[in-house]
Amino acid sequence: MYEGVVQNLIDELGLLPGVGPKSAQRIAFHLLAADPADVKRLAHALLEVKEKVRFCRTCGNVASEEECRICRDARRDTHVICVVEESKDVVAIEKTREFRGTYHVLGGAISPIDGVGPDDLRIRELMTRLADGRVTELILATDPNLEGEATATYLARLVKPMGVKVTRLASGLPVGGDLEYADEVTLGRAFEGRRLLDV
Amino acid sequence: MSLYRDEGVVLRTQKLGEADRIVTILAKRTGKIRAVAKGVRRTTSRFGARLEPFTHVDLQLHTGRTLDVVTQAETLRPYGEALAADYPRYTAGTAMLETADRLTHGEKEPALRQFLLLVGGLRTLADRDHEARLVLDAYFLRSLAVAGYAPVLDACAKCRAPAIRAFAIVAGGVVCGACKPSGSVVPAGETIGLMAALLRGDWALADASESRHRGECSGLVAAYLQWHLEHGIRSLRHVEREPA
């Protein structure tokens, strides 16, 4: 145990995800030894993120204004919505520079075993966005794991009667991997989604 | 480092650190195991979808100090693929996994009958031969029976009188008029018949049952299960009934 304020800092850092007691102690002593200006900048950034960052009223992505940068961008195609679980997934898709539509962040995936059902996600908000009939395609980009697949199944069932085209991101073999190490489910999906080589 | 091999069903997974997961497995010989699957969340992971919930998998693990580590995994049957494509079956399946987790208390205590029951239940659910909620109720009743909590359905649970009047969870099954405690419910005779059919595996009778009796049966079975587990099953709130 250390003097009050140092121990307080260690305890607070220890609450962060992936930070154990030893790591918390290491970060605390790093901050103690750091330049006061650097520490002030970090403290300011922490406070600012809580004060300024909010969730986009349209898509649920993190934003610094009422709407996020993507929803404000007039060049984006608002007829296509890509549904993702978390804001982190928006960043991952944006990095590809392949998608020019808009997003909808659900805030997780349906996981009954963890007590997360459809009502705990931003599904109602998605249905409101689809209600005006302007959206022509809904791309389901939830994680390719069990919860993500079940969430996609649930959404497809809900949205299809509205006449909106519902698509799911392809899944298959990762680029740079060995075929022999691919599991049966992934390899099966890769076969299902095989494409014609147009050479 | 001691290596061991077993087959099991993945009950649940929890994120660990940057790219790992803790997987809870109900294994055939070992019983319940909690093990670390390293790097499983990376898209290039050699485990791929093999350690997703519902997967019946052949495993090699090595014993760790607190948690074991999965070193190899081969799929025996991926029930999750079929279940995730059918939402009512997915919700019923998660309730089965959660119940199996709750009914096997200690880690590494062999629970062969619970394992075989779970594999059979998942196979029946994935094969879509019977309504999902019927399969779930049958699984609940039989897993309770394996755990020693089979409800008495043929005569009064207290005095063994043949005249049945009500269903009392605290008494452990149906009761006669004289033994009926306050607060017990009076279900239709067909509902008790359906519960008995599900418990003994009479699918012809169960499949022919009416929707209202199935609904009443599900309510009683869920209450009976949670009373004996002394714990709520979180997934149950989300179980969806298939349209008739």
Side-chain angles (χ1 to χ4, degrees):
Chain A
M1 295 291 278
Y2 296 94
E3 291 287 325
V5 282
V6 180
Q7 189 58 45
N8 276 352
L9 179 61
I10 295 172
D11 292 344
E12 291 299 325
L13 289 169
L15 296 176
L16 297 174
V19 180
K22 278 279 176 203
S23 311
Q25 189 176 302
R26 205 173 64 243
I27 298 167
F29 277 92
H30 170 80
L31 291 173
L32 273 177
D35 190 72
D38 291 343
V39 179
K40 260 191 190 148
R41 215 172 40 248
L42 174 66
H44 179 69
L46 286 171
L47 287 171
E48 199 177 23
V49 80
K50 278 314 279 180
E51 279 165 12
K52 290 192 177 168
V53 173
R54 57 186 96 176
F55 294 99
C56 171
R57 66 171 178 199
T58 307
C59 72
N61 192 8
V62 285
S64 51
E65 293 176 36
E66 281 279 293
E67 279 197 319
C68 70
R69 182 178 50 80
I70 297 167
C71 288
R72 286 199 315 268
D73 188 345
R75 291 167 301 175
R76 307 290 298 215
D77 182 0
T78 53
H79 298 99
V80 185
I81 296 179
C82 178
V83 180
V84 294
E85 290 181 17
E86 308 282 352
S87 297
K88 290 179 284 187
D89 303 329
V90 172
V91 178
I93 296 174
E94 282 297 285
K95 276 184 190 166
T96 66
R97 296 174 183 269
E98 290 278 335
F99 180 63
R100 298 300 303 157
T102 54
Y103 293 92
H104 190 86
V105 181
L106 290 174
I110 298 172
S111 178
I113 210 160
D114 297 312
V116 181
D119 294 341
D120 303 305
L121 305 175
R122 297 185 71 256
I123 293 177
R124 205 171 296 121
E125 290 84 343
L126 175 65
M127 299 314 282
T128 311
R129 285 179 77 181
L130 298 175
D132 63 6
R134 289 198 317 125
V135 175
T136 53
E137 184 180 357
L138 191 72
I139 303 170
L140 301 175
T142 48
D143 288 346
N145 55 27
L146 187 82
E147 286 87 7
E149 293 293 343
T151 309
T153 304
Y154 181 86
L155 287 175
R157 197 184 62 171
L158 209 62
V159 172
K160 270 188 180 161
M162 300 170 89
V164 179
K165 181 180 166 190
V166 181
T167 56
R168 177 89 174 109
L169 283 195
S171 49
L173 299 168
V175 178
D178 279 10
L179 194 74
E180 64 166 312
Y181 287 114
D183 69 282
E184 298 75 7
V185 176
T186 310
L187 201 50
R189 292 254 188 102
F191 261 98
E192 267 175 30
R194 68 188 185 277
R195 63 193 167 85
L196 193 67
L197 267 184
D198 198 12
V199 286
Chain B
M1 184 175 83
S2 80
L3 282 172
Y4 67 99
R5 199 172 154 183
D6 206 340
E7 64 176 88
V9 173
V10 180
L11 300 180
R12 63 186 307 167
T13 62
Q14 293 157 268
K15 286 181 182 176
L16 177 72
E18 194 82 357
D20 306 341
R21 274 204 183 113
I22 297 175
V23 285
T24 307
I25 301 149
L26 181 59
K28 192 174 183 178
R29 288 184 294 277
T30 319
K32 192 159 78 177
I33 307 166
R34 270 163 52 83
V36 178
K38 289 188 175 165
V40 72
R41 280 153 62 201
R42 292 199 178 98
T43 49
T44 51
S45 163
R46 65 201 157 93
F47 293 124
R50 292 184 185 110
L51 296 175
E52 285 287 290
F54 295 117
T55 312
H56 184 188
V57 68
D58 186 1
L59 295 161
Q60 181 175 272
L61 303 106
H62 82 71
T63 314
R65 260 195 297 184
T66 48
L67 292 169
D68 294 354
V69 178
V70 181
T71 54
Q72 285 179 36
E74 280 292 321
T75 309
L76 295 174
R77 200 167 160 187
Y79 297 109
E81 182 82 344
L83 297 180
D86 183 329
Y87 191 71
R89 280 175 198 274
Y90 165 72
T91 54
T94 51
M96 284 168 73
L97 297 185
E98 191 179 347
T99 305
D101 192 11
R102 292 266 172 226
L103 279 171
T104 47
H105 300 286
E107 284 179 34
K108 296 197 175 175
E109 285 176 17
L112 178 64
R113 290 180 68 196
Q114 287 291 1
F115 168 80
L116 294 173
L117 194 64
L118 180 64
V119 172
L122 291 177
R123 189 190 306 125
T124 310
L125 198 61
D127 288 349
R128 308 166 66 99
D129 292 334
H130 310 285
E131 195 206 355
R133 192 66 210 239
L134 279 179
V135 178
L136 178 63
D137 289 338
Y139 171 77
F140 282 161
L141 286 166
R142 289 191 222 172
S143 59
L144 280 167
V146 168
Y149 304 121
V152 178
L153 299 169
D154 55 345
C156 176
K158 282 190 164 176
C159 71
R160 303 300 296 166
I164 295 163
R165 182 91 181 92
F167 186 86
I169 292 170
V170 284
V174 291
V175 283
C176 66
C179 299
K180 179 175 168 273
S182 61
S184 47
V185 286
V186 185
E190 290 88 341
T191 303
I192 299 298
L194 174 59
M195 283 173 81
L198 291 173
L199 190 56
R200 65 174 183 269
D202 183 348
W203 284 106
L205 200 150
D207 288 336
S209 61
E210 287 179 38
S211 172
R212 61 196 165 113
H213 299 134
R214 291 182 187 186
E216 195 172 36
C217 172
S218 294
L220 288 179
V221 171
Y224 188 78
L225 171 80
Q226 295 183 95
W227 193 82
H228 280 288
L229 284 178
E230 297 178 356
H231 206 288
I233 295 290
R234 283 205 284 191
S235 314
L236 264 180
R237 193 164 62 88
H238 303 289
V239 171
E240 209 176 87
R241 192 169 273 284
E242 283 163 303

